[in-house]
Amino acid sequence: MDVSGVRLFSYIWAMNHLIAPSILAADFGNLQRDIEMLNKSEADWIHVDIMDGVFVPNISYGFPVLSAAKKHAKKPLDVHLMIIDPDRYLKEFKDGGADGITVHFEACTHLHRTVQAIKELGCRAGVALNPHTPVAFLDDIIEDIDLVLIMSVNPGFGGQRFINNTYKKLNDLKVLSNRRNPGLFIEVDGGVGEENIRNLVNTGANVLVAGNSVFSAADQPLAIKNLKYPA
Ligand code: DX5
Ligand code: ZN
């Protein structure tokens, strides 16, 4: 294959995965600037991490910041709720600008009800799994959901080290999704960067969240492009 053939192949290959930079790692004093950078970049979605200080040992931001992001964003907002009892606030997150809402398996007593409520709001419904939660626990909900988010770090903070057992979970989820929900978005969140993105996509991930690997880069649009079209 000549150089243009390689590039075409890599382009087609890259079309299969989405990049969702996480604004948890953005400069909050310059949120508009950072979101405008994402608008112009190869990013597909904008990942918004909501933390309540109860489900996870950290508090991030809430509705006002979500609405501020929505005001400037030209790309879908992928809202990841790390909060207990998320049912109380689903409508507020939708009204604040969420296109997709992902709740944690571990935070929902009535997960089926929660998933239906998200879908009734017209949002893409996602379920996140902590590193210790087996993919098999999704067996009775997999056909009802649009997205599974596999946490590849313990939720609560950006900039943590990627947990290698994620590959095993991706394999399990790929088998389940092939059989029961082939259109599933398979999202990996935490410690994603240029060094592991190709392996993650090859193992079945099709949405990759990246916080620090994007926002700590000197050239952020280039960092996003390198995730979209990895070497
Ligand atoms: C962690 C959050 C992640 C975080 C990822 O709890 O869910 O979305 O922003 O950050 P990095 O890519 O820096 O690990
Ligand atoms: Zn997240």
Side-chain angles (χ1 to χ4, degrees):
M1 214 186 284
D2 64 8
V3 175
S4 65
V6 170
R7 215 173 272 143
L8 180 65
F9 176 76
S10 129
Y11 179 75
I12 292 166
W13 177 81
M15 289 312 284
N16 293 328
H17 71 276
L18 305 179
I19 303 299
S22 166
I23 56 166
L24 185 65
D27 175 353
F28 296 140
N30 290 289
L31 191 57
Q32 178 177 352
R33 180 200 66 191
D34 284 2
I35 289 178
E36 281 166 359
M37 180 278 293
L38 295 178
N39 287 341
K40 285 190 233 132
S41 77
E42 304 271 355
D44 297 283
W45 294 352
I46 298 174
H47 188 80
V48 182
D49 288 304
I50 308 285
M51 305 178 182
D52 67 356
V54 180
F55 180 66
V56 289
N58 195 10
I59 297 175
S60 56
Y61 41 70
F63 308 121
V65 172
L66 174 65
S67 303
K70 186 67 181 178
K71 202 164 119 194
H72 303 292
K74 296 201 172 94
K75 298 186 176 177
L77 297 187
D78 174 40
V79 175
H80 175 193
L81 298 184
M82 286 160 273
I83 67 175
I84 58 162
D85 200 6
D87 303 54
R88 293 172 296 165
Y89 298 114
L90 294 176
K91 186 166 181 330
E92 279 88 341
F93 284 115
K94 161 70 183 174
D95 292 345
D99 293 280
I101 298 179
T102 297
V103 295
H104 265 263
F105 177 89
E106 304 83 6
C108 297
T109 310
H110 302 288
L111 183 60
H112 186 272
R113 178 182 290 150
T114 307
V115 163
Q116 299 310 321
I118 295 171
K119 285 161 87 171
E120 273 162 29
L121 289 169
C123 291
R124 189 182 54 249
V127 174
L129 299 180
N130 274 341
H132 72 283
T133 305
V135 165
F137 282 5
L138 297 174
D139 199 55
D140 290 302
I141 195 90
I142 192 74
E143 289 169 14
D144 297 298
I145 57 184
D146 303 303
L147 179 150
V148 173
L149 183 158
I150 296 184
M151 284 304 312
S152 39
V153 298
N154 284 294
F157 303 93
Q160 301 182 79
R161 191 197 296 216
F162 179 87
I163 296 172
N164 266 313
N165 189 54
T166 303
Y167 289 108
K168 184 252 175 202
K169 292 176 76 170
L170 270 176
N171 279 319
D172 292 348
L173 184 56
K174 194 67 190 143
V175 170
L176 188 62
S177 105
N178 282 345
R179 267 197 302 124
R180 313 258 308 277
N181 187 344
L184 188 73
F185 287 110
I186 298 179
E187 186 167 27
V188 172
D189 185 4
V192 173
E194 278 181 47
E195 65 293 347
N196 54 17
I197 192 153
R198 188 178 270 277
N199 280 343
L200 289 167
V201 172
N202 287 342
T203 316
N206 53 31
V207 185
L208 288 303
V209 177
N212 271 47
S213 66
V214 165
F215 285 98
S216 65
D219 185 338
Q220 298 169 351
L222 179 64
I224 296 169
K225 193 171 184 188
N226 289 341
L227 294 174
K228 187 73 181 174
Y229 307 103

